[in-house]
Amino acid sequence: MNVLRVDVLFQIAGIGIFISVLNIVLKQAGKEEQAQMLTLVGVVIVLLLVLQLVGDLFESIRVIFNLF
Amino acid sequence: MEVAQVVGFGVIATVFIIFIRQNRPDIAQLLSIGVGVIIVVYVLGYLKMIVDVITDLALEAEINTIFLRTLLRVIGVAYLAEFGAQVCRDAGEGSIAGKIEFAGKLIILVMAIPVLLAVLESIISFVP
């Protein structure tokens, strides 16, 4: 029985909230470019986390249904 | 008991997604994909048990393993295609979702051809 990966959920949610808060702060400080770069970095990190999850899903589906 | 975990997890994730969607819709979309995957991976253990039971029953009944392998692979392809289509539809890309489903159907058809031929041959052998 696999365990419910709650840690990944909180990581992604944490990054999302952190990015949105920092964006607002940076916009106040007038640093638009840094805000954009920060958004990009945040999305890339979240994308990597989600890709790992999807990779695990595809691997276990492949094993169960011996697909490929 | 597992149901309560899954339901609680889903509700908490939904709250997070609603909160994040205001500022960062892209991260919210990725989060919803991630939550879906986490729940499915959590339940895959049961799916493996079911598939093993079916395989054992088929072996006892001496069913030709080719048919069972094709059946399991078709189910796998159908599930993955549906997963991809659902993700795209959530993101608002209905047309891409339709294309993925179309591709899934074609792949399933290609996989089912050997079984189809076997059935036809057995029918033809009955005809005098």
Side-chain angles (χ1 to χ4, degrees):
Chain A
M1 256 317 290
N2 319 54
V3 73
L4 197 59
R5 306 277 305 276
V6 189
D7 54 335
V8 180
L9 166 74
F10 287 126
Q11 278 169 7
I12 298 178
I15 291 176
I17 293 168
F18 190 62
I19 294 291
S20 48
V21 167
L22 268 182
N23 253 344
I24 295 164
V25 167
L26 280 176
K27 284 201 172 66
Q28 244 72 29
K31 292 193 173 58
E32 283 299 329
E33 314 78 27
Q34 274 84 352
Q36 291 304 334
M37 293 311 295
L38 184 70
T39 309
L40 201 61
V41 167
V43 170
V44 165
I45 293 173
V46 170
L47 190 59
L48 288 177
L49 284 173
V50 172
L51 278 184
Q52 274 175 355
L53 285 178
V54 172
D56 293 347
L57 172 72
F58 284 170
E59 183 52 30
S60 37
I61 291 280
R62 190 182 69 79
V63 165
I64 290 174
F65 294 107
N66 47 59
L67 262 176
F68 310 131
Chain B
M1 184 48 210
E2 289 84 358
V3 181
Q5 281 182 342
V6 171
V7 170
F9 181 76
V11 169
I12 291 170
T14 310
V15 169
F16 272 131
I17 289 172
I18 290 171
F19 180 71
I20 293 176
R21 198 178 287 280
Q22 296 150 3
N23 312 90
R24 302 251 40 83
D26 41 9
I27 294 183
Q29 185 58 42
L30 281 171
L31 181 56
S32 72
I33 297 171
V35 166
V37 170
I38 289 173
I39 291 178
V40 169
V41 165
Y42 174 59
V43 191
L44 272 187
Y46 290 127
L47 182 62
K48 182 151 187 43
M49 263 187 259
I50 293 166
V51 167
D52 290 347
V53 164
I54 291 173
T55 320
D56 298 345
L57 288 178
L59 287 181
E60 273 161 35
E62 283 97 26
I63 294 175
N64 189 337
T65 53
I66 294 174
F67 297 147
L68 188 71
R69 267 179 60 83
T70 311
L71 178 68
L72 285 179
R73 291 174 65 170
V74 163
I75 294 172
V77 167
Y79 170 70
L80 283 182
E82 194 271 335
F83 170 80
Q86 202 57 41
V87 164
C88 292
R89 205 164 279 122
D90 277 358
E93 299 296 334
S95 60
I96 296 179
K99 299 296 181 296
I100 290 177
E101 278 169 5
F102 176 66
K105 286 178 187 136
L106 280 187
I107 292 168
I108 286 173
L109 263 178
V110 167
M111 273 200 269
I113 285 177
V115 180
L116 208 60
L117 295 181
V119 169
L120 284 179
E121 271 150 25
S122 57
I123 290 172
I124 289 167
S125 66
F126 292 151
V127 175

